[in-house]
Amino acid sequence: MERYQHQQQYRQLAAMRRALFDQGYLDDQFIQLEELQDDANPNFVEEVVTLFYRESTRSIQNIEHALETTPYDFVKLDNYMHQFRGSSSSIGAKKVRYECTQFRDYCKARNAEGCRRSFHQLKREYSTLRKKLEAYFQFARQTGPSETACRSK
Amino acid sequence: MEVSGYPSPRTDAFPAGLRVLVVDDDPTWLKILEKMLKKCSYEVTTCGLAREALDLLRERKDGFDIVISDVNMPDMDGFKLLEHVGLEMDLPVIMMSVDGETSRVMKGVQHGACDYLLKPIRMKELRNIWQHVFRKRIHEVKEIENHEGFEEIQFMRNVCDQSEDRMFSSANDLASGKKRKDYENKHDDRECSDSSSVKKTRVVWTVDLHQKFVKAVNQIGFEKVGPKKILDLMGVPWLTRENVASHLQKYRLYLTRLQKEKELTASFGVMKHSDISSKEQNGNHCLQSSVNMQQTNGSCGISGNKTAMQNIDFEIHEGDLKSLVKVPMVDANNGLGGDNTDSQRGRRMNADHSFRKLDSDVKYATTIPEQYMWSAEGSEVQANQERKQPFRPKPGFNPMPLPSLHQNIQFDCVRPTPSFVSKPSNIHNDKLGGSEKKTIFVKSVSHGNMVDLLPVQPQSELTATTSQEVLKPDPSSIVWSTKNQRAADQIFASNMESAQRSIDLVGGWGLATWEENQQGCLIEADIHRLTQGLENIESFSYNEAGIISEASSYLYDSLKFDYEMPLEPMEYSVIDKGLFIV
């Protein structure tokens, strides 16, 4: 019975994970991270994602701050977003990364309105991803570390 | 030196244990890369700041085999780091960025990156990075082998290298000395302990060789060049691909710096002096002034009284341009008048048009053309060409056409040519007649040497410049060359060691090239030889470059400029002259 329950959980977790890819939140880079996880670093993926939260929070703050002052310093904004984009590429945050690219395009075009809009969109994507990932990791912890570690696509 | 021995790990395990330094300001990536590299069995050190990385590299020389660096970092541009690493540590550097724009990648390659990885980076890409280390090793071995047969040349090279070493450490900061040491160390460990064999691997890029190189680059097209192609085109049998590659790298760096320098200069509101196409430069006033100052000090300065020299320099920077201008005049007059009792003044002037043109303004005595002590051919060329210079006197100043100024400056020069270096004692101490000495100067040295040396520790032996080959093919450049010669000889003569003075001279150079419209008149003086035998003095060809400049604000500003920004701009100008295009 317990074993059955465990299998259920496992399937549920796999489905959650699957959805993250299917819905375009994550890309192959996330799989890379999973492959890097091993006995030496059993929580590697989660650790990296946590680092990503920290970095991206900082980036978002920087950008928010920069967007408060007008006229916009597009070079600065572009730099911040470059950083953000780098971080999001590290965990394979596909949608977020796409929004970063959009934002940078607006920066290059010096389109202030576009920047604002895409930043808004970016934050939304970011918080969605974060919620989904947090839920996923929490559930993974419940299910047991070994499954997360060994799971492949 | 450290015990670590050859920078690469135990050869049997290679590439396992490859020592990698990862530099990225993004901790997320740092963590991922670290893990990936560890999975490849590499030894990983991570660093979140470029400056920290540089410190680490300097501190633990021979501690790493390869560097992976992000392009965008807040404290230091990744390209800058790349440049430092390339120049100081001679390590392969892989750049990485989330940006894959061609221009960025190209910039990385131009700065000497051996690879450019796009984020997200995959492990399979990292697994393969050992190839860069391996490739480098192969080339090092090849170089040594290839050079075995060239004993004669090598001897020369060794000598050259020694001087080059000095140049290096004087021109750059201490860290570059490390690079040399590292370099040697590697070879020591791998090859043998014979230090001479270590040095065999370096190639002296003579003017001639460099011309071939540049020709090849131009033929191929700058965007498409690769060491192999250049090597093939150059057709120099003993040259290796690695030699060319490293020269190409320096050449590219040079071009980049040139660009930076342009920007810098532009921001100072001065003419872009490094512009190759600078057609008519009106004067090398500053250069000549400073040269002249030194000469004016002849008796004291040349005999080694540095204080006196510095005083003069100080005057210059005080902005007392009047007096600055006057001194050389007086001196020049002496020289021209020929009433030289002083041995230093025992020079003969070679009159030329520019000088005469000035007469009216400057009230100089007409100068008497004098035969150079150079080889007959050389002096002929020189004299004639000087006369051909289309001087266009204007009230108070003499515009001086320097059509190929740049060209000349750029003749190679990071490396002294063998003929010169192999006879250092000659140059320094011999009491030979001018002709031989001059031949040496003329044949061998190139301007850049001098400039290179100046900043910290001018080596007078290396400073004489202007090759005869340079003079001959390009008549229009003659005047400039002569000046270089002068400047060089002056330095040579005074054997100056004070950095201040070198700065001054460098400033002079820079100014000379910068100022297109500077007013002032140029007294073209010439190369004289010493007729008497003070040991030190005698061995230099003593050149007079008189210049009367209108108290040009440029002069002052530029000098000041060089003083105020002692290191960086100088480095640029050093490099500027240290590499060379034709």
Side-chain angles (χ1 to χ4, degrees):
Chain A
M1 186 62 191
E2 201 176 290
R3 189 189 150 92
Y4 173 76
Q5 203 177 2
H6 195 92
Q7 274 178 352
Q8 278 285 15
Q9 280 186 331
Y10 177 89
R11 258 182 244 129
Q12 212 175 327
L13 185 67
M16 274 175 90
R17 183 183 169 278
R18 182 85 261 155
L20 285 170
F21 288 97
D22 291 345
Q23 291 162 21
Y25 289 105
L26 295 176
D27 65 18
D28 287 0
Q29 176 62 20
F30 193 79
I31 299 167
Q32 277 271 313
L33 297 186
E34 289 176 328
E35 284 169 1
L36 286 172
Q37 188 158 289
D38 56 16
D39 291 344
N41 300 78
N43 296 313
F44 184 75
V45 181
E46 213 181 333
E47 282 164 23
V48 170
V49 171
T50 311
L51 267 179
F52 164 70
Y53 294 154
R54 202 186 300 162
E55 275 305 289
S56 46
T57 308
R58 216 181 51 183
S59 287
I60 287 174
Q61 274 171 0
N62 282 338
I63 295 162
E64 244 159 15
H65 191 72
L67 286 174
E68 277 164 17
T69 49
T70 44
Y72 290 168
D73 182 345
F74 287 105
V75 179
K76 206 167 161 190
L77 282 171
D78 188 64
N79 277 336
Y80 287 142
M81 199 47 87
H82 180 86
Q83 229 171 316
F84 198 175
R85 189 167 161 237
S87 308
S88 35
S89 77
S90 69
I91 64 152
K94 199 175 171 186
K95 281 192 177 181
V96 173
R97 198 182 148 186
Y98 172 78
E99 294 302 332
C100 292
T101 313
Q102 290 280 303
F103 185 94
R104 294 191 73 197
D105 286 344
Y106 285 123
C107 273
K108 284 193 184 86
R110 307 184 71 78
N111 181 342
E113 180 51 36
C115 282
R116 264 195 303 274
R117 250 189 297 122
S118 80
F119 183 60
H120 186 72
Q121 184 66 22
L122 187 149
K123 278 198 292 185
R124 212 164 50 194
E125 289 296 350
Y126 171 75
S127 67
T128 311
L129 173 74
R130 194 168 166 164
K131 265 180 222 142
K132 283 181 183 282
L133 279 176
E134 274 166 357
Y136 170 70
F137 283 120
Q138 203 186 354
F139 195 70
R141 270 196 301 272
Q142 286 170 12
T143 312
S146 57
E147 274 78 3
T148 0
C150 312
R151 182 165 310 115
S152 65
K153 235 202 280 196
Chain B
M1 278 298 196
E2 273 121 58
V3 253
S4 61
Y6 185 68
S8 290
R10 307 127 318 249
T11 6
D12 42 31
F14 187 84
L18 196 81
R19 291 160 308 168
V20 189
L21 177 68
V22 189
V23 194
D24 198 329
D25 63 308
D26 187 333
T28 323
W29 266 114
L30 220 46
K31 189 178 172 71
I32 296 169
L33 291 169
E34 185 187 15
K35 183 71 190 170
M36 283 179 168
L37 288 163
K38 275 185 177 161
K39 284 226 167 200
C40 300
S41 318
Y42 299 152
E43 274 177 39
V44 195
T45 311
T46 57
C47 209
L49 290 169
R51 297 208 176 274
E52 212 173 89
L54 203 52
D55 289 344
L56 203 63
L57 283 163
R58 283 171 176 158
E59 187 185 307
R60 289 166 55 183
K61 46 188 172 182
D62 279 0
F64 301 99
D65 298 312
I66 191 164
V67 180
I68 304 179
S69 166
D70 189 42
V71 172
N72 291 75
M73 283 178 290
D75 65 327
M76 187 197 269
D77 189 47
F79 296 118
K80 190 85 197 161
L81 177 70
L82 171 62
E83 217 173 285
H84 276 288
V85 175
L87 286 172
E88 292 174 26
M89 293 84 180
D90 203 22
L91 286 175
V93 180
I94 296 173
M95 300 297 282
M96 56 184 177
S97 172
V98 73
D99 253 339
E101 287 166 43
T102 315
S103 62
R104 301 286 282 177
V105 179
M106 208 176 276
K107 195 177 170 193
V109 175
Q110 272 176 4
H111 276 69
C114 65
D115 207 347
Y116 195 107
L117 301 178
L118 288 184
K119 286 177 178 175
I121 292 164
R122 295 298 155 92
M123 204 159 111
K124 60 178 182 219
E125 295 173 295
L126 292 177
R127 210 183 286 281
N128 238 343
I129 59 168
W130 59 267
Q131 63 180 307
H132 303 294
V133 179
F134 188 60
R135 187 176 300 124
K136 211 164 124 48
R137 274 204 219 168
I138 291 175
H139 289 304
E140 276 164 9
V141 173
K142 259 193 204 159
E143 269 180 47
I144 292 163
E145 281 166 0
N146 285 351
H147 285 70
E148 287 305 330
F150 291 80
E151 291 300 327
E152 198 71 45
I153 299 165
Q154 266 135 38
F155 172 70
M156 304 286 228
R157 266 184 217 146
N158 290 345
V159 183
C160 293
D161 279 341
Q162 277 155 19
S163 13
E164 194 188 335
D165 282 354
R166 271 179 281 162
M167 280 163 50
F168 244 97
S169 46
S170 53
N172 299 319
D173 56 3
L174 283 173
S176 55
K178 270 185 201 166
K179 177 201 167 190
R180 290 287 304 160
K181 278 188 201 158
D182 284 359
Y183 188 79
E184 283 161 24
N185 228 29
K186 282 181 215 166
H187 287 270
D188 278 345
D189 289 321
R190 337 189 39 212
E191 187 68 3
C192 56
S193 52
D194 179 7
S195 69
S196 69
S197 77
V198 167
K199 295 185 171 176
K200 282 173 190 172
T201 56
R202 285 193 84 93
V203 172
V204 176
W205 284 83
T206 59
V207 170
D208 205 37
L209 203 55
H210 180 67
Q211 273 173 332
K212 277 184 187 162
F213 169 84
V214 173
K215 215 176 134 194
V217 171
N218 290 338
Q219 209 170 320
I220 299 161
F222 190 73
E223 304 304 323
K224 286 177 281 179
V225 289
K228 185 81 178 81
K229 285 187 203 164
I230 297 172
L231 184 62
D232 291 343
L233 271 173
M234 282 176 74
V236 180
W238 48 268
L239 213 58
T240 67
R241 190 199 153 278
E242 184 70 6
N243 295 149
V244 176
S246 107
H247 194 65
L248 180 63
Q249 185 178 340
K250 284 185 182 139
Y251 183 62
R252 279 171 167 154
L253 276 173
Y254 155 71
L255 290 178
T256 319
R257 295 201 171 177
L258 201 68
Q259 191 59 40
K260 281 188 201 156
E261 202 177 349
K262 272 187 196 173
E263 286 157 20
L264 193 74
T265 330
S267 72
F268 270 80
V270 189
M271 174 219 163
K272 296 181 181 181
H273 69 282
S274 33
D275 204 331
I276 296 177
S277 60
S278 56
K279 287 155 240 135
E280 290 211 341
Q281 304 260 342
N282 281 348
N284 306 299
H285 311 300
C286 181
L287 164 66
Q288 298 201 339
S289 312
S290 50
V291 164
N292 226 34
M293 293 315 289
Q294 283 156 22
Q295 183 171 4
T296 316
N297 265 303
S299 36
C300 37
I302 287 176
S303 47
N305 188 335
K306 279 182 258 164
T307 328
M309 303 300 272
Q310 277 163 352
N311 285 344
I312 293 294
D313 288 342
F314 183 66
E315 271 180 55
I316 295 173
H317 297 285
E318 282 295 285
D320 188 355
L321 292 170
K322 290 283 181 194
S323 73
L324 155 78
V325 166
K326 272 177 199 157
V327 184
M329 274 179 72
V330 173
D331 189 58
N333 266 324
N334 284 346
L336 294 171
D339 59 342
N340 306 304
T341 45
D342 193 326
S343 65
Q344 274 111 19
R345 305 251 157 111
R347 55 205 150 176
R348 300 183 198 168
M349 307 300 296
N350 189 334
D352 59 48
H353 287 218
S354 68
F355 210 89
R356 288 204 183 119
K357 291 271 160 74
L358 290 171
D359 283 349
S360 51
D361 304 317
V362 181
K363 299 182 190 109
Y364 262 5
T366 320
T367 53
I368 301 132
E370 180 74 32
Q371 201 46 267
Y372 294 104
M373 286 305 288
W374 303 20
S375 68
E377 193 191 6
S379 53
E380 202 59 38
V381 170
Q382 169 103 11
N384 290 341
Q385 283 163 353
E386 284 216 353
R387 288 189 185 109
K388 277 181 208 149
Q389 290 299 322
F391 290 112
R392 295 181 299 162
K394 291 180 192 168
F397 70 96
N398 190 5
M400 182 70 160
L402 291 170
S404 42
L405 167 69
H406 200 62
Q407 235 170 327
N408 275 313
I409 292 175
Q410 283 166 346
F411 274 115
D412 163 5
C413 310
V414 175
R415 285 145 176 131
T417 59
S419 65
F420 170 69
V421 181
S422 57
K423 297 181 182 174
S425 61
N426 234 357
I427 290 154
H428 217 25
N429 299 320
D430 278 6
K431 303 195 175 181
L432 292 169
S435 71
E436 180 173 345
K437 274 169 240 147
K438 290 224 172 116
T439 321
I440 294 165
F441 288 152
V442 167
K443 273 199 185 145
S444 48
V445 208
S446 15
H447 334 308
N449 287 345
M450 176 187 73
V451 181
D452 253 348
L453 290 167
L454 293 183
V456 177
Q457 188 197 14
Q459 301 287 332
S460 38
E461 311 89 25
L462 295 172
T463 59
T465 58
T466 309
S467 81
Q468 189 77 323
E469 294 95 58
V470 171
L471 297 180
K472 281 182 202 158
D474 190 358
S476 52
S477 65
I478 271 300
V479 171
W480 173 246
S481 305
T482 328
K483 278 169 205 141
N484 288 344
Q485 168 92 45
R486 254 177 238 130
D489 287 348
Q490 285 295 339
I491 298 153
F492 192 95
S494 43
N495 192 12
M496 56 184 213
E497 272 156 37
S498 103
Q500 190 182 0
R501 279 187 39 225
S502 17
I503 291 169
D504 186 30
L505 243 197
V506 171
W509 275 59
L511 188 60
T513 41
W514 290 340
E515 293 189 18
E516 189 157 44
N517 301 313
Q518 183 189 357
Q519 294 200 334
C521 60
L522 179 72
I523 296 162
E524 192 42 53
D526 301 291
I527 297 167
H528 3 258
R529 81 197 141 98
L530 297 174
T531 48
Q532 301 194 11
L534 286 181
E535 182 167 304
N536 240 345
I537 300 145
E538 193 192 52
S539 40
F540 324 118
S541 63
Y542 198 58
N543 302 307
E544 172 80 34
I547 174 173
I548 314 286
S549 89
E550 300 277 351
S552 146
S553 57
Y554 272 138
L555 175 60
Y556 180 54
D557 286 345
S558 303
L559 286 167
K560 217 169 92 191
F561 163 73
D562 267 302
Y563 260 84
E564 281 168 355
M565 312 193 58
L567 196 56
E568 283 275 312
M570 263 181 57
E571 260 186 40
Y572 287 150
S573 69
V574 162
I575 301 276
D576 184 11
K577 276 108 198 174
L579 279 166
F580 18 82
I581 329 169
V582 179

